Amino acid sequence: MKISIRKSNLLQGINIVSKAVSNKTTHPILSCILVEAAGGVIKLTANDMEIGIESYVDGTVIEDGKVALEAKLFSDFIRKLPDSDITIESDKDSKTLIKCERLEFNIPGKSGEDFSNLPVVSKDKFITISQFALREVINQTIFSISDNENNKLMTGELFEVSNNKLSVVSLDGHRISIRKVPLKKSVADRKLVVPGKTLIEISKILSGEAENVVSISYTKNHIVFEFDNTIVVS
């Protein structure tokens, strides 16, 4: 793999996907960010098996390929580089060379083939709301989820689609928060519980602009949030 990318673009992508990097794991690959170049597209991915985030970043693909790099080490290197173009090149043994102006770093990587890809989720059932509305909904309800891991349902929020409205409910046994948002399109009724951790991280990534939308797809076991150049799967 070989890519050329502006530092600001790469750092923005790293900051987004780092929210899904596992800090405490017995599987070292889960503490990595997958850098993948294919078909002229550069994609960063992190996945701690509870939440997975993909972010597409602008840059030039010189040679297709992929490599998994330890997230903290990778992030720290990139932050210290000048605000210029960066070249990242990995060989068949996943050894990775990072160049920026006169600086060069060699860091060890792991095979991208060993990385846990995000699940493929059907997008037949979905709703769309503005980023502003979703961030408001999360911020106004997330405080009343439970932090007691013994009851997983109460550590998340209920998303209920009914009568062309999205109702979001959270409760911890003492408090309850309810927020309703009208939907522009008619969709089938559905109830699902979304982990609080996922919603907290999404609220940090959203731009919050009223004119920018979020597409929310869901199946029995997964929910997908798509906005800007980012995909979040939980």
Side-chain angles (χ1 to χ4, degrees), residues 9 13 27 62 94 146 199 202 204 210 223:
N9 293 341
H27 303 288
I62 302 169
S94 301
S146 173
L199 296 173
I202 286 174
K204 296 176 184 176
I223 186 166

Side-chain angles (χ1 to χ4, degrees), residues 29 32 67-70 73 90-91 93-96 106-112:
I29 198 73
C32 293
V67 64
L69 301 174
E70 201 278 319
L73 181 64
S90 62
D91 61 19
D93 297 318
S94 301
K95 294 178 181 178
T96 302
N106 283 287
I107 62 175
K110 296 180 175 60
S111 172

Side-chain angles (χ1 to χ4, degrees), residues 73-225:
L73 181 64
F74 183 37
S75 177
D76 287 346
F77 271 134
I78 300 304
R79 291 179 196 282
K80 293 174 182 177
L81 294 177
D83 189 13
S84 185
D85 288 336
I86 298 171
T87 300
I88 302 175
E89 184 176 3
S90 62
D91 61 19
K92 58 183 178 62
D93 297 318
S94 301
K95 294 178 181 178
T96 302
L97 174 64
I98 299 176
K99 297 180 182 179
C100 184
E101 296 183 355
R102 297 181 181 180
L103 301 173
E104 292 188 7
F105 297 96
N106 283 287
I107 62 175
K110 296 180 175 60
S111 172
E113 301 299 331
D114 297 333
F115 194 85
S116 299
N117 292 316
L118 270 58
V120 177
V121 178
S122 169
K123 298 175 183 177
D124 296 335
K125 299 175 182 178
F126 69 95
I127 60 174
T128 57
I129 65 174
S130 75
Q131 291 195 33
F132 175 80
L134 180 59
R135 191 163 72 173
E136 266 209 332
V137 165
I138 294 172
N139 291 340
Q140 292 173 355
T141 58
I142 200 71
F143 67 91
S144 58
I145 64 170
S146 173
D147 57 5
N148 185 350
E149 291 291 329
N150 292 328
N151 190 334
K152 284 289 186 181
L153 283 178
M154 293 174 68
T155 62
E157 296 196 341
L158 173 68
F159 275 45
E160 180 178 5
V161 178
S162 179
N163 297 323
N164 295 334
K165 289 184 180 179
L166 170 65
S167 299
V168 178
V169 183
S170 63
L171 65 141
D172 62 5
H174 304 284
R175 302 169 295 183
I176 182 169
S177 301
I178 303 173
R179 176 70 195 274
K180 297 182 179 181
V181 180
L183 301 175
K184 293 182 179 180
K185 293 184 179 180
S186 177
V187 290
D189 293 356
R190 187 64 185 268
K191 288 183 180 181
L192 60 155
V193 176
V194 185
K197 174 187 173 182
T198 299
L199 296 173
I200 290 170
E201 300 304 345
I202 286 174
S203 70
K204 296 176 184 176
I205 304 171
L206 291 169
S207 68
E209 300 295 331
E211 62 270 19
N212 295 339
V213 300
V214 182
S215 175
I216 306 174
S217 311
Y218 40 85
T219 62
K220 181 179 180 181
N221 296 316
H222 295 97
I223 186 166
V224 181
F225 299 82

